[in-house]
Structure formats: structure tokens, C-alpha cells
């Protein structure tokens, strides 16, 4: 076996010899071996009693050679529960068929990065997971070498079997695990060469697949405990309102209702972390024996609401304090649009400026200007928000779907008045996340309710609760301008982008660095409508707007859309404007996916009746190019096929990565075509799927092909990058099919209500 050596200081490991049964605990700290700017952690804990051998933190090795690998990160459908253990198993050199995977609990002393967000689960832990497996393998090899009195260099490890060819000795991992507990933690370990991977880079089925399709209890809504009560909440009907008073007498008399009361989550002076954020701090709680009884009792409540005053909160994001303003008043979508348009015409904050764009526009022979917009979006996970808690005087157990268990632990601790070590958070599989479950206010809510009731409680949101509670994708607006000289050459590029309450602008992304005169500006509008991360934050709008506009520029210049983008990327690579390092993207990798999608889609050989659009984008350190094909059937556009080319570094599990690509494509088409959340007098006008439109099965592409760039670069993001660019490819294909440009999402606005 060929290896590459990676140095590890002894401080990267923790060895605990105090376990019963002569076991070994081997802890591996991500913090001590991580690359600069990465503060993640991993741990291996190996405990081996006399008859069987358990690695409590990460690996359990049975005397029959079966290995259980713990998966530390939340599983929200991105398949990390399969892919992360694959990395450990490959370096451990165990046959995948002998691997069992379990979800690890929250344990920051072992795993200090247990977050599902930013498409970072694999990329942040790649080297550390590899070292975890390689270290365990090396210690097993040293144990075998000592037992057989041979040099460790002569020991091979293949598929869970240790062998020494010259002597003919061999043993399974289980036979050597106890002896390995007496081996000094290695100062150095050797990682495999990429060419020697046997599990990484191969497709493995979802380890929960059979349980999912056979309906086994995996999700938060499946949780059942003896004596468990059900709780549900009532929040204000409109943003900008708060609780004044309530009358619960009628509700309390209804069958199965145990109590009705109000809760205030956070004290006014509590400095919240950004992910502790909640739209409504004071809520009415109904607790009863069943979901049906509780939901019915909510309808019997008589509640009086009142208007909020202006609110300014101080929040902290990764150690940095920030002021967030929530203005008083009842907001409307019409006024939102008017305000965004108004600010587009005013001076904004300059985020980047190259050359002299003002002079270039002033002397231009021709200027084109286009504006793009998108509405608020609700995350609409298939599984609505829910969580279980059982709080006693000196302990709190929480169980359910969350993307940020560690970050929410401190909020639970604050509200309950319990130290962190008294709080136990377990993770279930999640029926979708998309960023919504980064904000775990529901964990704090259920903990407070359980404490009040002195009983185990499961909090369940209805779909209406979920869709009207807030934390939406922001509404955005962007205006692009391009200037041309008398020879029809592009001389200047200007983007001004803003949103409610944040701007979608990435000033240093393509085409920054490729155009002599470049100006990027942004602005924001305060709002009391709460927003948060939504799959590929900011990129989920700006990519489609940018790529649609670039197609118009290419058309104006009489150039092929892919050729035009490649020309700009060549300039950014060979003769960049400004400092090359100031550009967020790698122009060569960017061009690589465009060239690959051109080849795989047969771009130059479009069939008759097929109308094609292209888009390419960089985010989460990955590059995606997509070609979308539309045909017209009964005078309506039908997405026939999408071809995607992706550079996300080494692909751990190709099937899982392809699934993420397909999901991103379908999700992006659906949101661009149909979805939108609007407001009237502070109230969401859509509260369920009878009014909020999502894509239907028949509207999904008939075929999606995903091609990955063969790479030896460490893995980069995959869950989010396929989502943003498809909206641009769709808009560009629709133009080719219908002759109509689409600037404002959702593209189809004349849809009738689905019901009624």
C-alpha cells in the first residue's frame, strides 16, 4: 500500500487508560491538527473489553471484525451519515460490508464541529476523518508487529485483516484491538495516496435507505416516550405585533388539554447568538395528550395582540457583535418593492471598484440596463419544526432535528439555568433543513415547556405555524448595467444589489477581475420580517440574475454564451484586473466546468425544437455549470433535460453527490418558476400549500445528468452549489423558447389557487 505521510503532534491526541476492561480511548482533536482558519474537531474513542472492543467516540470493533463508525454531523438529507464514515473506513482499511453506522450524540469534547450548514460537513473534516482512520489502522498494525515479532513496515492491512507475508501470520482487527490499547499513540501517521482509495470515490447506498422506505422511526416526529405530552404554540398573526393578553378558559376545558400558558424565551438583556434568533419572543403554549387535541384547543383561545415599538437587538456571530434593527409597523409586499426600486436609484455603498467605470459609462456608445428581483421564500421542509425535551431539576434531555445542536446548547442552558454538562442533545434524522433548522428556537421552546410541565414533552408545529413563523429567505433586488464602445466591445460592468434585510452581493465573484471598468454596490432595507439562511444564502438569487444578464450581454455582442464566459475567464486567469488574489474564484476551475458541460451536453449540436440555456456559478468553494433544455408542448415550456458539470474536488460518494445535484436542480427550478411569500399588513398571505406553490413531480426535468471533474483537490461544498445557477439557465432557456426574458421571480405569476 502506498501512503503519503502527514505529521501529527501528540497534542492532537488524547489517550485515556482509565477505562475498565483494558480498553483504549483514542481522542483526535480537529482543533490541534486543522488547517488555518478551520476550528473543527474529531475524536476517536476505542474501548475494548475482554470479549469485545468498543471505540466509544467514533469506532467500535467487534471480535468478529464488524466495525461501527459514529457519524458526528446532523443528517438533513445530504447523506453525510454515509459519506463521513466512508472516509474513516477507507483509511482504517475495513471492508464496507462490515461497517455499521450510528448517529453520534452532541459531544463537544469529542466532536467540536457538529453543524450541518454552509456545505461544510465533508470539506471541513476531510483531513481529520482520514487521520482518524489511519491512526487506528497504524496502532493495529503495531500491535500485530509486536505480537509476531516482525517490523511494522512488513505488516499489511487490507479489508480488516492484518497480515505478514513472510511468516504467514494473519489476524482480524478484533483480535488485535486489545493489544493496540497498549501502543503509544503514533507521532506520525501515513495517509493513503488518493490513487489507493478503495471506498472513497465509489458509490455506497444510503445507510438509512431501507429504514426510510420501510417507515422505521428515524425522524423527530417519530419520537415517542412514556408519559410524553404534546405541545403547540400560538404566535402573533403578523410581524410587528406581540402578545398583550389571552383568555384560555374555554381551551382548558377541552378534552385532553393539560395546561395553557405563555412563555417568554429570552430575557431582554440576553445577548443572543445569531442562530438563537426567534421571530416572536413571547408565545402562548397549549399542552395536551395528543396533537389533534392541542391543535383544536388553539382555535378556542381568545388572544389580544398589540403593536411592537422599534426594536434593536445586539447579536453575536462567531464572536463579532452586530446591531439588528426591527422597525415598528405592519409591512406590505407592495411597499417592499417600491422601497427596493427607490434605493436602486440612489447612492449605495461601494463594495468594489476597478478602473474608471463612471467615465466608461459616460463615453459608451451603448448601454444596456436590466433589473431583477425575487420574493421572500419559506423553507417548507417536509417535516415541520418539532423537538422533544425532558427536563428535570438537574438534567435536560433533548432529542430531534437540528442543524446546530452545539450552538443551541448554550441557549438551552441559559433559559433552563443548567450548566452545559447537564444538557444532553441527541439528533434524529431530519426531514429537510435548507437552513431553517440552523435556527433552533424550537429547542429552547420545548425545553422551557418541559420544565414548566415537569414532564417529557414533544413540541409540534403545524404547517401553518411553520410557514408563518418567519426566518425566511430575504427578498432581493439587483440592477445590472453594461457599457459598449463603438466596436461593440464590453467596456464596463456595474451591479447594484440590495435586499430586505441584507444584500445578495458578492463583489469579488465573477465577472470581477475580468472587466477593466467594474463597479459593485450594495444597500439594505431594515424590516421586522425575520429572515435567515436559505440554501446557498444570497447566491440563490444573485447567481440567476448575474447569469441571465451575462446572456443578454453575450447576445448584444453576437457571441455564443459559453464562448463569451470563457473569454472573460481567460482574461481573469491570464491578465486579471486588480490583484488576482482579491477575486473569490479560481478562473481555471470555473472555465473547466463550462468546458465540460459544453462537451457533455453537445452544446454545439442542439436538436431541432430544443431550446437551451446555460449558466455557471461559484459558491461554497465549488464550481457548477448547467445546460437546461426546454421543449414546447401544447404551447407550454417543458424542461426536458439538465446537464450539469461540477468541480467539488474529490467526490467521496458519487451517488450521493449526484442526488444533491438533482435535488438542487429540481428545487431551483421550482422556486424560480412558482414560489413566493407575500405580505399584507404584516401577515404572510400564504400559510399552506393551497396558496404556496412548489414544483410538482410532472414539472421536474425528465432527465438530469451530472458529470464531475476528476480532481485530487480536497472536497469542497456540494449540498448548495447546484442550486443557484439553475435559475439562470432556466431563464435563458425560457427566452430561447418563448422570446420573453424573465427578470422577476417567480416566473409564472398567473397561476390560479390550487384549491378554492
Amino acid at each position: 500500500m502506498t501512503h503519503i505521510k502527514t505529521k501529527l503532534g501528540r497534542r492532537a491526541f488524547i489517550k485515556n487508560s482509565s477505562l475498565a476492561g483494558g480498553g483504549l480511548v483514542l481522542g483526535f482533536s480537529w482543533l490541534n491538527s486543522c488547517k488555518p482558519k478551520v476550528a473543527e474537531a474529531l475524536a476517536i474513542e476505542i474501548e475494548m473489553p475482554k470479549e469485545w472492543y468498543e471505540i466509544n467516540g467514533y469506532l467500535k470493533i467487534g471480535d468478529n471484525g464488524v466495525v461501527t463508525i459514529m457519524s458526528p454531523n446532523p443528517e438533513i438529507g445530504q447523506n453525510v451519515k454515509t459519506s463521513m464514515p466512508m472516509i474513516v473506513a477507507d483509511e482504517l482499511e475495513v471492508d464496507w460490508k462490515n461497517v455499521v453506522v450510528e448517529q453520534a450524540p452532541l459531544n463537544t469534547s469529542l466532536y467540536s464541529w457538529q453543524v450541518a450548514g454552509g456545505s461544510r460537513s465533508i470539506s471541513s473534516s476531510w483531513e481529520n476523518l482520514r487521520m482518524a482512520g489511519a491512526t487506528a489502522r497504524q496502532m493495529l498494525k503495531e500491535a500485530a508487529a509486536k505480537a509476531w515479532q516482525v517490523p511494522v513496515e512488513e505488516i499489511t492491512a487490507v479489508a480488516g485483516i492484518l497480515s505478514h507475508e513472510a511468516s504467514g501470520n494473519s489476524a482480524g482487527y478484533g483480535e488485535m484491538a486489545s493489544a493496540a490499547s497498549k501502543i503509544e499513540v503514533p507521532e506520525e501517521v501515513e495517509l493513503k495516496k488518493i490513487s489507493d482509495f478503495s471506498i472513497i470515490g465509489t458509490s455506497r447506498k444510503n445507510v438509512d435507505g431501507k429504514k426510510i422506505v420501510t417507515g422505521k422511526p428515524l425522524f423527530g416526529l417519530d419520537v415517542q416516550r412514556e408519559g410524553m405530552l404534546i405541545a403547540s404554540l400560538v404566535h402573533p398573526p403578523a410581524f410587528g405585533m406581540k402578545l398583550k393578553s389571552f383568555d384560555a378558559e374555554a381551551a382548558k376545558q377541552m378534552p385532553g388539554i393539560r395546561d395553557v400558558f405563555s412563555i417568554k424565551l429570552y430575557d431582554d438583556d440576553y445577548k443572543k447568538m445569531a442562530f438563537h434568533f426567534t421571530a416572536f419572543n413571547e408565545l402562548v403554549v397549549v399542552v395536551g395528550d395528543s396533537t389533534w387535541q392541542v391543535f383544536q384547543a388553539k382555535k378556542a383561545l381568545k388572544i389580544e395582540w398589540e403593536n411592537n415599538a422599534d426594536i434593536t437587538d445586539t447579536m453575536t456571530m462567531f464572536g463579532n457583535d452586530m446591531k439588528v434593527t426591527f422597525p415598528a409597523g405592519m409591512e406590505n409586499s407592495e411597499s417592499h418593492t417600491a422601497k427596493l426600486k427607490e434605493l436602486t436609484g440612489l447612492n449605495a455603498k461601494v463594495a468594489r471598484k476597478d478602473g474608471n467605470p463612471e467615465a466608461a459609462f459616460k463615453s459608451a456608445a451603448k448601454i444596456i440596463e436590466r433589473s431583477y428581483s425575487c420574493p421572500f421564500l419559506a423553507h417548507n421542509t417536509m417535516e415541520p419544526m418539532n423537538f422533544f425535551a425532558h427536563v428535570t431539576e438537574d438534567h435536560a434531555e433533548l432529542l430531534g432535528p437540528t442543524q446546530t445542536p452545539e450552538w443551541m446548547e448554550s441557549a438551552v442552558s441559559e433559559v433552563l439555568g443548567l450548566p452545559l454538562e447537564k444538557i444532553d442533545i441527541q439528533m434524529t434524522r431530519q426531514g429537510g433543513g435548507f437552513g431553517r433548522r440552523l435556527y433552533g428556537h424550537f429547542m429552547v421552546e420545548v425545553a422551557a415547556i418541559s420544565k414548566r410541565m415537569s414532564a417529557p414533552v414533544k413540541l409540534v408545529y403545524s404547517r401553518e405555524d411553520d410557514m408563518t413563523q418567519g426566518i425566511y429567505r430575504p427578498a432581493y433586488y439587483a440592477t445590472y448595467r453594461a457599457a459598449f464602445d463603438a466596436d461593440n466591445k464590453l467596456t464596463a460592468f456595474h451591479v447594484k444589489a440590495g435586499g430586505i434585510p441584507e444584500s445578495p452581493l458578492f463583489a469579488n465573484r465573477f465577472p470581477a477581475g475580468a472587466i477593466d471598468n467594474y463597479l459593485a454596490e450594495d444597500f439594505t432595507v431594515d424590516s421586522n420580517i425575520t429572515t435567515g439562511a436559505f440554501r446557498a444564502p444570497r447566491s440563490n438569487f444573485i447567481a440567476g440574475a448575474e447569469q441571465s444578464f451575462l446572456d443578454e450581454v453575450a447576445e448584444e455582442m453576437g457571441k455564443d454564451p459559453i464562448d463569451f464566459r470563457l473569454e472573460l475567464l481567460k482574461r481573469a486567469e491570464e491578465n486579471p484586473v486588480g490583484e488576482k488574489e482579491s477575486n473569490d474564484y479560481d478562473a481555471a476551475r470555473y472555465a473547466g466546468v463550462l468546458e465540460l458541460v459544453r462537451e457533455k451536453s453537445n452544446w454545439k449540436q442542439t436538436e431541432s425544437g430544443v431550446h437551451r440555456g446555460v449558466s455557471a456559478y461559484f459558491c461554497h468553494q465549488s464550481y457548477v455549470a448547467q445546460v437546461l433544455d426546454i421543449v414546447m408542448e401544447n404551447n407550454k415550456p417543458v424542461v426536458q433535460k439538465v446537464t450539469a458539470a461540477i468541480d467539488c474536488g474529490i467526490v467521496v460518494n458519487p451517488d450521493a453527490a449526484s442526488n444533491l445535484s438533482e435535488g438542487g436542480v429540481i428545487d431551483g427550478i421550482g422556486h424560480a418558476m412558482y414560489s413566493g411569500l407575500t405580505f399584507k399588513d404584516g401577515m404572510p398571505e400564504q400559510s399552506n400549500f393551497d396558496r404556496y406553490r412548489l414544483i410538482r413531480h410532472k414539472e421536474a426535468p425528465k432527465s438530469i445528468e451530472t458529470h464531475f471533474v476528476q480532481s485530487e483537490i480536497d472536497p469542497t461544498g456540494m449540498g448548495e452549489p447546484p442550486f443557484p445557477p439553475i435559475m439562470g439557465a432556466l431563464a435563458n432557456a425560457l427566452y430561447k423558447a418563448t422570446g420573453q426574458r424573465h427578470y422577476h421571480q417567480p416566473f409564472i405569476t398567473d397561476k390560479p389557487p390550487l384549491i378554492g
Side-chain angles (χ1 to χ4, degrees), residues 590-607:
Y590 210 136
V593 292
L594 275 165
E595 290 165 348
L596 182 59
V597 83
R598 178 170 61 182
E599 172 196 342
K600 296 300 184 181
S601 67
N602 294 312
W603 175 258
K604 298 289 188 180
Q605 298 163 349
T606 304
E607 296 179 16

Side-chain angles (χ1 to χ4, degrees), residues 116 120 210 231 257 265 279 300 348 352 488 504 506 539 595 687 708 711:
R120 294 181 58 198
K210 186 175 181 180
I257 299 305
L265 284 190
R352 175 166 172 165
N488 210 31
F506 291 94
S539 295
E595 290 165 348
S687 62
F708 295 100
S711 174

Side-chain angles (χ1 to χ4, degrees), residues 211-232:
K211 294 178 182 178
I212 293 170
V213 300
T214 55
K216 295 294 188 293
L218 290 169
F219 301 92
L221 286 174
D222 295 325
V223 172
Q224 297 292 333
R225 292 291 178 84
E226 184 176 351
M228 183 180 78
L229 302 176
I230 299 296
S232 190

Side-chain angles (χ1 to χ4, degrees), residues 282-402:
E282 295 182 73
L283 305 150
V284 178
V285 182
V286 180
V287 183
D289 294 333
S290 74
T291 306
W292 174 257
Q293 290 170 330
V294 167
F295 282 6
Q296 295 309 302
K298 286 167 63 175
K299 299 175 183 178
L301 293 171
K302 297 177 181 178
I303 305 177
E304 187 176 359
W305 311 99
E306 62 182 347
N307 292 344
N308 264 327
D310 290 346
I311 298 173
T312 299
D313 269 352
T314 299
M315 296 187 185
T316 179
M317 174 70 85
F318 304 119
N320 298 315
D321 287 352
M322 57 184 181
K323 296 284 187 182
V324 182
T325 300
F326 303 95
M330 305 293 115
E331 300 183 16
N332 296 281
S333 292
E334 289 183 1
S335 59
H336 286 159
T337 301
K339 186 66 174 178
L340 289 168
K341 288 181 177 180
E342 175 191 347
L343 291 177
T344 299
L346 303 177
N347 291 331
K349 182 180 71 176
V350 175
R352 175 166 172 165
K353 182 177 179 180
D354 295 328
N356 191 340
E358 294 88 353
F361 276 101
K362 187 174 181 179
S363 63
K366 179 171 49 180
I367 296 173
I368 62 172
E369 178 177 319
R370 303 289 184 266
S371 292
Y372 304 82
S373 69
C374 71
F376 292 94
L377 291 178
H379 292 80
N380 286 328
T381 58
M382 184 176 292
E383 178 188 24
M385 301 304 107
N386 67 91
F387 226 82
F388 168 85
H390 187 189
V391 178
T392 62
E393 289 186 3
D394 61 357
H395 184 259
E397 176 197 5
L398 286 91
L399 172 64
T402 173

Side-chain angles (χ1 to χ4, degrees), residues 377-381 433-436 470-473 532-535 671:
L377 291 178
H379 292 80
N380 286 328
T381 58
F434 312 116
R436 177 62 182 87
I471 311 185
Y472 306 117
R473 194 278 299 273
F534 189 103
R535 192 175 193 173
H671 287 307

Side-chain angles (χ1 to χ4, degrees), residues 30 147 157 167 173 203 208 423 467 572 631 633 657 677 721 736 745:
W30 295 9
S167 65
Y173 281 178
S203 291
D208 281 340
I423 297 171
M467 200 179 293
V631 297
E633 295 181 2
L677 194 71
K736 296 292 181 63
Q745 297 178 25

Side-chain angles (χ1 to χ4, degrees), residues 688-718:
N688 208 320
F689 297 128
D690 59 337
R691 295 293 184 270
Y692 191 102
R693 180 78 153 82
L694 293 175
I695 194 170
R696 301 292 183 254
H697 282 99
K698 66 179 182 180
E699 294 158 346
K702 309 306 180 210
S703 171
I704 301 174
E705 288 183 6
T706 302
H707 304 272
F708 295 100
V709 173
Q710 296 302 305
S711 174
E712 294 192 356
I713 297 172
D714 288 357
T716 50
M718 186 61 217

Side-chain angles (χ1 to χ4, degrees), residues 1-4 90-91 93 126 130 191-200 650 711-712:
M1 183 184 301
T2 306
H3 301 77
I4 181 169
D90 202 322
E91 288 288 355
E93 261 299 336
W126 165 250
R130 292 182 65 193
L191 302 183
K192 288 183 175 182
K193 279 187 175 180
I194 292 169
S195 58
D196 290 335
F197 288 156
S198 58
I199 296 175
I200 296 169
I650 294 169
S711 174
E712 294 192 356

